[in-house]
Amino acid sequence: MYQFSLSWFLNLYLQSIAQSAGSDHLAVRVANILDHFTAAVYSNVCRALFEKDKLLFSLLLTVGVMRAKGQVNDLVWRFLLTGGVTLDNPHPNPAPEWLTEKAWSEVSDITTSAVTRVWETGNTTSSVRHYESECTQIYDSSRPYAEPLPGPWRSLLGLQRMVVLRCLRPDKLVPAVQEFIAQHMGRTFIEPPTFDLARSYSDSNCCSPLIFVLSPGSDPTAGLLKFADDLGMGGTRTQTISLGQGQGPIAARMVEVALRDGTWVVLQNCHLATSWMPMLEKICEETITPENTHPDFRLWLTSYPSDRFPVRVLQNGVKMTNEPPKGLRANLLRSYLSDPVSDPTFFSTSTNQHVWQKLLFGLCFFHALVQERRTYGPLGWNIPYEFNESDLRISMRQIQMFLDEYEEIPLEALTYLTGECNYGGRVTDVQDRRLLLSLLSTFYSWELIQQENYRVCEGDVYRIPPHGYIDYIRSLPITADPEVFGLHSNADITKDNQETNQLLDGILLTLPRQTGGGAKSPQEVVDELAEDILSKLPCDFDIEMVMVKYPVMYEESMNTVLRQELIRFNRLTQVVRRSLISVRRALKGLAVMSAELERVLDSMLVGKVPAMWAAKSYPSLKPLGGYVSDLLTRLHNGPPSVFWLSGFFFTQSFLTGVSQNFARKHATPIDYIGFEFEVNCETHMEQRPVDGVFVRGLFLEGARWDREHMVIAESSPKALLDSLPIVWLKPGESSRFLHENIYACPVYKTSARRGTLSTTGHSTNYVLSIELPSDRPQKHWINRGVACLCQLDD
């Protein structure tokens, strides 16, 4: 029973991660599992899941058990996951200095929804006004989930209490969920188990494959080969092959020989050979049988989560997951306790021992740093690269080799090999490559080599010790502050918000559509919402009239930009209008509810932008209410003296139009044209500039704009974003620009920053880089992950 249920849960996990897994299929699988397996079985199942997904399934199980006891109201549960779905908030924010508009909108939505009637606590918006000091105490607390709730909310418990926390401090919802699960189910369901390869091996036999489910930053191959040596299966008795194109037949022959000789075969990266997976399934079912398999034979498989991995192989195999150590201290310690650093011969035989051990520690610190920055989402890296132990090991050996073979330390060559080849070979985004080299410059530097107790970040805690490396690592704090990674302290809030969103989004996939508790039916909710959006949506733009009023002219490229923008917006609004009308007709039984319309209905029900709209839309991460409001604002924007940069469907065409106007006016090749940037302190401009344009609508993330000194500055506490004043984009010849005392700040369309990689090496989410005056070196802001965003996620 344990093996069967474990394989089902793990297969569900693989399906949920894979991009091709449909949400409907996933919801059915989760519902079936939670209905048919007991808590005792589930406790064992959790041991094979990653901690984050374990929390998701633990919360589902906890709510399922409570629902069976009649302790869960579906209205409160759904509101906790979605935050409500509203387009307008008629109530003014009573505390804009600390309460965000998004949080206030959710608090107000509690009042206007049926959730308040479930609580019987009166008007929640009045509660915020009357008990503002107590609400502020929750907002400022480091453990808000342990603070008493204000006024009439004081009696709320469980899910109801978490709804209030979601509104006021969503960044602390994950620890609140952990406490909630521990209170109702026990701490077993939230504490991650330790990884034990020997125990997993003892549970296996010659006919059951051992499967490593890989996670970014973790490569079990080195540990597996050492384990093979310990059992006398090292050397030629263990054959490894990385699967890929053309490797399938070779792997099949390896297995055939190993079956007879009683050796081990390691097939790496099965997710890269999806076309060969049916053959793997056939080998496991028909070839690997007790009659013709040597008792010492073992088949080891490694794979990232993939929906193409054979289900039967999963069911019959022993599943293992081994995440990289969490935290800078644990990561450093693992590097020093693992091969080859743990080998005294490798560690102590360099001809330049003092420099070797310094650079080695710096490299291990850099390795831990680039891995841990992934937890901070786009602030850490635009793309979460899979740096692993292989990158570290090859860089170590290169340091040792270069120090032994050269009299002078070839620091520039080592920087190139480590930054551009070993680690940089994985980096595809231009801004991420800039960041990687900036981080590496702290550790591959002459200061590190020449100074004693060299500090690798601000403060005196993190430094290069002269000796006793393992003891020094053990003395470090278990949890590192964001400043250690070059980030602002606010980055912790961003990271926590991201974890909350991932948890809630994962659970939303499993929600049944039907609500209970006497509320409106899902059909009524969607019908009213569709009617509200349709009433606000304006008519399509008259393209012919626009062409007459703003004809294509050589002197004014912006007329062409305008026409292209209106065509794109018309396509979007037509899709929105058509889908809403069709959904309403289908709900009334006047048309067939197709699968596409059903997906629109499901998205609207949980406050998400339907995929049908997103396919024709400009990039946006806003929820449904914020998206509709943003769209309506764009459609009603007229010709201004200051352009709303975020309002353009395709921002690059607007910037190209500005460059073309200048190039044609001054008879300069457009390839020579670039932009200088001047941030203005004025809040309004009466006239457009002679050359270039005034733009607004940008938000600084990771820093703020100092309006007194007119430079980029450190963020204020808990202020994750800061609006940038009006910026003058001044076109001119790039060769004449000075680029002094500035930070080249990348501008992105959304906070995800990540997009499809274009031929320029930039993400399609990337717009341009603006040069902001700075009294600090560029490296400081690069490490901070500072960028400008065209729009917020609210």
Side-chain angles (χ1 to χ4, degrees), residues 187-405:
R187 304 205 69 84
T188 306
F189 289 85
I190 62 172
E191 294 174 352
T194 57
F195 178 73
D196 190 346
L197 182 56
R199 183 176 178 181
S200 298
Y201 174 77
S202 65
D203 289 341
S204 70
N205 57 62
C206 60
C207 296
S208 60
L210 295 102
I211 307 164
F212 283 100
V213 181
L214 302 176
S215 57
S218 176
D219 183 2
T221 306
L224 174 58
L225 294 179
K226 187 176 186 303
F227 178 71
D229 287 335
D230 295 341
L231 294 185
M233 298 297 294
T236 59
R237 302 201 68 191
T238 296
Q239 299 291 320
T240 65
I241 184 172
S242 181
L243 294 180
Q245 188 165 357
Q247 299 301 302
I250 301 175
R253 286 194 295 272
M254 277 186 179
V255 173
E256 184 180 351
V257 173
L259 284 172
R260 183 183 63 249
D261 298 343
T263 56
W264 289 3
V265 174
V266 184
L267 304 184
Q268 298 174 289
N269 300 322
C270 294
H271 59 284
L272 299 180
T274 55
S275 61
W276 192 71
M277 287 299 98
M279 180 57 68
L280 174 64
E281 184 173 21
K282 184 178 180 181
I283 291 173
C284 292
E285 288 188 354
E286 300 178 5
T287 306
I288 306 177
T289 59
E291 296 79 18
N292 63 353
T293 302
H294 193 286
D296 292 338
F297 168 79
R298 290 295 186 276
L299 177 62
W300 301 81
L301 307 173
T302 74
S303 176
Y304 276 94
S306 170
D307 64 326
R308 302 288 296 276
F309 197 93
V311 175
R312 289 187 178 277
V313 178
L314 278 174
Q315 290 176 339
N316 297 327
V318 176
K319 276 73 62 177
M320 296 163 285
T321 63
N322 185 18
E323 286 192 289
K326 292 189 175 181
L328 187 73
R329 176 179 176 269
N331 206 311
L332 271 172
L333 195 59
R334 172 160 154 169
S335 296
Y336 268 79
L337 295 179
S338 301
D339 188 69
V341 184
S342 60
D343 182 358
T345 304
F346 176 81
F347 185 73
S348 306
T349 57
S350 175
T351 56
N352 195 341
Q353 191 67 17
H354 184 62
V355 175
W356 154 242
Q357 292 188 2
K358 275 189 167 187
L359 285 175
L360 177 63
F361 187 88
L363 174 63
C364 291
F365 202 105
F366 167 76
H367 176 74
L369 190 148
V370 297
Q371 285 191 314
E372 290 300 312
R373 277 187 72 109
R374 283 197 306 253
T375 63
Y376 292 93
L379 267 181
W381 299 101
N382 289 355
I383 300 172
Y385 302 99
E386 298 169 6
F387 303 116
N388 57 40
E389 287 85 353
S390 299
D391 305 318
L392 177 63
R393 282 194 294 271
I394 186 62
S395 298
M396 287 177 182
R397 297 189 182 280
Q398 286 172 345
I399 293 176
Q400 190 179 61
M401 180 181 69
F402 275 53
L403 289 179
D404 290 345
E405 294 185 4

Side-chain angles (χ1 to χ4, degrees), residues 97-113:
E97 62 277 3
W98 64 270
L99 187 63
T100 66
E101 290 302 322
K102 178 178 183 292
W104 175 241
S105 176
E106 291 181 352
V107 170
S108 301
D109 198 32
I110 297 176
T111 301
T112 57
S113 69

